[in-house]
Amino acid sequence: MEFSSKLLEKAVHEMSQLPGIGKRTALRLVLHLLKQPKDQTTFLSQALTQMREEVKFCGSCHNISDVEICEICGNDKRNHQIICVVEDIRDVMAIENTRQFKGIYHVLGGKISPIDGVGPSQLNINTLVEKVKAGNVTELIFALSSTMEGDTTNFFIYRQIKDYPIITSTIARGIAVGDELEYADEVTLGRSILQRIPFENSLKNN
């Protein structure tokens, strides 16, 4: 792809680094920005810069937040004894949209995937185990996607906390095997949360 401007080429290159954005799509987006009022592009760049510099991770659940403790963890009306274990913020948003879950979350930041070089030490697993050891948790709900990596991560965590007096459950398989939570419709996901099953039962079915 030939460019008449090095500045245009650089902008297209940077835009194409985003997931799902190829060079042609990046060019279309950059040219669209060039056609917009200068202020609009400035607002976009300022919003991205501010987000990158000021965004925080909740000191309790590791969710993305503007403050040290996110709004969910800081809400006294939530049931802090029930923790829903998810991969990332997209899953928190998907479950929150169902309005069926009244507990809190723990964001792992990914799934165990040896093929991708992701091991347990690279995820927020230790802090979850510490919460269980502290004795303030009555139930862990595993809400990772039903993939090999998700199941491996669930089982690894289960082995760490199985000797503690808590309930471990997993969302019902209304979510098709291999599906990601963020793509599930709200009704199906909500029912999967409400109709969750004991985690031990899911082991017997594998």
Side-chain angles (χ1 to χ4, degrees):
M1 187 178 291
E2 295 294 329
F3 293 90
S4 58
S5 164
K6 292 296 183 182
L7 296 175
L8 176 65
E9 182 178 7
K10 181 179 180 180
V12 170
H13 172 74
E14 294 302 328
M15 188 74 77
S16 67
Q17 303 305 302
L18 296 172
I21 304 294
K23 283 290 181 68
R24 292 186 183 278
T25 300
L27 176 61
R28 187 166 63 252
L29 292 172
V30 170
L31 292 177
H32 171 77
L33 289 174
L34 279 176
K35 293 178 182 178
Q36 304 308 304
K38 187 176 180 180
D39 285 349
Q40 185 171 336
T41 306
T42 301
F43 292 150
L44 173 61
S45 62
Q46 288 177 342
L48 292 174
T49 300
Q50 185 178 18
M51 177 194 69
R52 192 66 186 89
E53 292 180 350
E54 299 181 17
V55 75
K56 298 176 174 63
F57 291 93
C58 176
S60 179
C61 73
H62 307 288
N63 192 12
I64 291 176
S65 175
D66 293 339
V67 291
E68 296 299 329
I69 299 297
C70 71
E71 291 183 0
I72 296 175
C73 288
N75 188 344
D76 292 336
K77 295 182 179 179
R78 308 286 296 222
N79 186 342
H80 287 243
Q81 293 183 317
I82 301 179
I83 298 178
C84 185
V85 183
V86 297
E87 180 181 351
D88 61 31
I89 185 175
R90 293 171 297 179
D91 300 327
V92 173
M93 295 170 65
I95 295 173
E96 282 296 286
N97 284 337
T98 70
R99 301 184 183 279
Q100 299 295 327
F101 181 63
K102 304 304 179 184
I104 58 174
Y105 298 90
H106 187 91
V107 180
L108 295 176
K111 294 173 289 193
I112 296 173
S113 178
I115 196 170
D116 295 318
V118 180
S121 62
Q122 295 167 272
L123 304 177
N124 300 318
I125 293 178
N126 287 340
T127 51
L128 176 62
V129 174
E130 290 302 317
K131 290 177 184 178
V132 173
K133 288 182 178 180
N136 297 321
V137 181
T138 60
E139 181 180 4
L140 279 189
I141 304 172
F142 294 119
L144 302 184
S145 55
S146 46
T147 59
M148 182 179 296
E149 293 81 7
D151 290 343
T152 299
T153 307
N154 287 342
F155 186 63
F156 180 87
I157 296 172
Y158 173 73
R159 289 183 61 186
Q160 307 302 306
I161 51 89
K162 64 183 179 66
D163 293 329
Y164 292 88
I166 67 168
I167 297 170
T168 52
S169 60
T170 183
I171 56 176
R173 297 300 191 182
I175 309 299
V177 173
D179 279 359
E180 300 291 344
L181 294 191
E182 63 177 302
Y183 300 122
D185 66 89
E186 294 175 10
V187 174
T188 300
L189 182 54
R191 287 175 178 170
S192 294
I193 290 289
L194 292 177
Q195 299 172 6
R196 57 187 181 272
I197 61 175
F199 182 69
E200 291 87 346
N201 290 6
S202 71
L203 293 177
K204 296 174 184 176
N205 294 329
N206 290 335

